Amino acid sequence: MSVDTATATAPASATTAERQDVAAPSDRARAWLVLLLAGAFEVGYALAVGGSEGFTVLSWSLVAVVFFLLTLYALSVALRTIDVGIGYAVWAGIGAVGAALLSPVVFDETLSAAKALWLAVIIAGVVWLKLADRPERPDDSDRAAHPAHP
Amino acid sequence: MHWLHLALAVVFEIAVALSAGKAQGFTRPAWTTATLVSGGVATYLLSRALLTFDVGVGYALWTSVAGVGIVVLGAGLFGQRLGWRKLLGIAAVIAGVVGLQLSGAA
């Protein structure tokens, strides 16, 4: 909320003219909860796909299909409210970090320091990429250039 | 062979992202079907790749390289701007993949 001193003499009614269409706080909280769930489903999907052994193990294969549908559905619901770039970034980040941390727990794998380091670089890269892959917001730079308090 | 499976899985994951975008919240049947079919193929190919790759490593490679592919394709086909932010992200993913490979972790 910034007040331009040049328009301070304008009628008070003008200040309410430009109100953004923002979802109610409870809707946003719910969307974020669904997004976190989608991330958790994506971790489950990654682990189940690995456990399916090329879809030769029936139980893991079925779990993989269920998680695939769940993660897709939850993500699409969350992205109705949350910005697509931010939503994808959080979802992809949770999925990749979760899979990297949990696959050594679930399977006979090790997470060496070198592996963890390079995985962190890759995951940071893709999260950054998802965040960068959205329309520029000119009002953000404008706000930074013109602080609210003169 | 596992790199080939992973590469093909990446191609189909890019197809998932493109068709999911056109499915508009899964309200358009044709694009929704395309999303599910390419997702199924991508998942199968990923599972073949994960026979050799560690799950965490293979999954991260798959999702990240697909992410790079989506952005590069967006610039090549749909004329989206490839600014320094995106190039930095692409560089980080490439550096990570090369680093994993050189350290023998992949």
Side-chain angles (χ1 to χ4, degrees):
Chain A
M1 291 289 281
S2 66
V3 177
D4 193 338
T5 49
T7 58
T9 53
S13 61
T15 58
T16 56
E18 286 186 72
R19 286 195 59 182
Q20 276 199 317
D21 183 24
V22 181
S26 60
D27 287 349
R28 292 203 64 80
R30 189 171 157 275
W32 275 96
L33 190 67
V34 173
L35 183 64
L36 294 181
L37 262 178
F41 291 148
E42 184 67 7
V43 177
Y45 164 78
L47 296 175
V49 169
S52 77
E53 305 272 351
F55 280 88
T56 57
V57 181
L58 183 64
S59 55
W60 279 107
S61 303
L62 291 175
V63 172
V65 171
V66 171
F67 273 128
F68 170 70
L69 295 174
L70 282 175
T71 190
L72 212 56
Y73 177 71
L75 180 65
S76 74
V77 168
L79 291 185
R80 281 176 206 161
T81 309
I82 298 166
D83 175 277
V84 172
I86 293 172
Y88 266 125
V90 170
W91 174 74
I94 294 174
V97 170
L101 292 179
L102 287 180
S103 83
V105 177
V106 178
F107 305 108
D108 185 23
E109 297 173 3
T110 51
L111 185 63
S112 67
K115 199 192 286 185
L117 170 75
W118 292 117
L119 279 178
V121 171
I122 291 178
I123 295 167
V126 74
V127 168
W128 173 271
L129 197 56
K130 300 281 186 197
L131 287 175
D133 195 17
R134 61 194 175 114
E136 301 276 331
R137 289 180 154 192
D139 59 320
D140 283 350
S141 55
D142 193 51
R143 199 174 298 150
H146 305 284
H149 304 287
Chain B
M1 201 61 186
H2 54 295
W3 279 102
L4 179 66
H5 281 133
L6 193 70
L8 288 172
V10 164
V11 170
F12 279 93
E13 180 63 5
I14 293 170
V16 170
L18 294 180
S19 42
K22 291 201 175 286
Q24 294 183 344
F26 302 117
T27 53
R28 297 163 79 178
W31 287 110
T32 302
T33 307
T35 306
L36 293 175
V37 169
S38 23
V41 175
T43 301
Y44 174 71
L45 291 166
L46 175 65
S47 78
R48 294 298 300 266
L50 294 184
L51 289 172
T52 316
F53 283 108
D54 278 2
V55 174
V57 172
Y59 177 81
L61 288 173
W62 174 64
T63 193
S64 306
V65 176
V68 169
I70 290 159
V71 168
V72 170
L73 218 61
L77 294 182
F78 310 117
Q80 286 167 8
R81 213 164 57 85
L82 209 61
W84 69 269
R85 285 189 183 84
K86 289 180 188 174
L87 290 175
L88 184 65
I90 293 169
V93 171
I94 293 171
V97 172
V98 172
L100 261 186
Q101 177 75 348
L102 292 180
S103 71

